[in-house]
Each structure stands twice: as structure tokens, then as C-alpha cells.
Amino acid sequence: MSMILMVNEKGRELTIAEKTNYLVFMINAFQSLEDEIVMETVLRLASLRSWHSLSYGHFQMELCLNPDLIKKWKRMIKKESDDAKKLGVHLDPLSSLEVNFLRNLIEEFLEVLDH
């Protein structure tokens, strides 16, 4: 699945046919959650970590609408920070392919619809 995450990161523009096939593949993956390996990989792409890519206002609104998620969010941020410290790296969640994947997939879908 990591290869699939990097399809658009290779620096070349995909043709409309390639984009369509890519989107069909991802739709099929999200519809195949009964397979344990697919489920583990795909659900990681739609996890709470993807909220890093929300705008600040939208993020605040979602947290207000879902107060139970505030504790989960804080735990997740602390764990990410601790993991980054252990590795001696700077924590930049927006540089993660998994964080931006869903947002990029939606943008790709809308672009294909425009064609």
C-alpha cells in the first residue's frame, strides 16, 4: 500500500486514465474492509491523524461537535511527540503521506470529475 500512497509523489503528472484507475483502485480498497490486511492499511489512512490536514477553523468546529475526541487527540499528539523525541526528529505531521492522503484523494477525485 505504501507504493499506492506515493503514486502522485513521484513528480510526474498522471494521465486522466491513470487517475481514474487509481481512484477506482482506492474505492475498491475502501470497500474491501472485510479483508484484515486491507482494513488495517486503509483505516490508517482515514484515522484521527488525518485531522492534521483540516483547516484550523474546521478542526476546532469538529472538536466542539465531538468533545470525546479531545482526549483522544491530546493522547495521539503526545504519543507522536514522544515518538519524535525518541527518534531525535522534528515532529511535522503534515509531511506524512498518511496525513495528507485522504485530502489529496478527494482533490484528485474532484479533478477527475472536472474532466
Side-chain angles (χ1 to χ4, degrees), residues 1-110:
M1 185 61 112
S2 62
M3 284 294 273
I4 298 302
L5 292 177
M6 294 187 295
V7 166
N8 288 340
E9 300 296 318
K10 295 211 178 223
R12 77 173 183 88
E13 189 64 30
L14 299 175
T15 66
I16 194 70
E18 290 171 327
K19 288 179 183 181
T20 302
N21 288 330
Y22 175 70
L23 289 169
V24 168
F25 175 82
M26 291 312 302
I27 289 167
N28 289 332
F30 275 91
Q31 291 177 340
S32 300
L33 297 179
E34 67 278 355
D35 184 302
E36 192 172 320
I37 294 171
V38 173
M39 180 184 67
E40 288 174 7
T41 305
V42 169
L43 290 181
R44 202 172 45 219
L45 300 174
S47 71
L48 192 57
R49 285 193 77 220
S50 65
W51 284 33
H52 281 292
S53 67
L54 292 176
S55 69
Y56 182 76
H58 193 114
F59 172 75
Q60 292 298 318
M61 182 186 73
E62 290 297 332
L63 284 183
C64 288
L65 294 173
N66 303 290
D68 294 339
L69 290 179
I70 294 172
K71 289 179 186 175
K72 290 179 183 178
W73 178 261
K74 287 181 179 179
R75 265 196 318 267
M76 182 193 71
I77 293 296
K78 180 166 177 21
K79 183 181 181 320
E80 286 179 350
S81 179
D82 291 346
D83 290 347
K85 282 181 185 176
K86 286 178 187 175
L87 295 173
V89 296
H90 174 69
L91 177 64
D92 183 14
L94 291 177
S95 67
S96 166
L97 289 174
E98 291 175 350
V99 168
N100 294 308
F101 179 79
L102 205 52
R103 178 187 200 119
N104 293 342
L105 186 65
I106 292 168
E107 289 172 358
E108 194 79 38
F109 179 74
L110 293 174

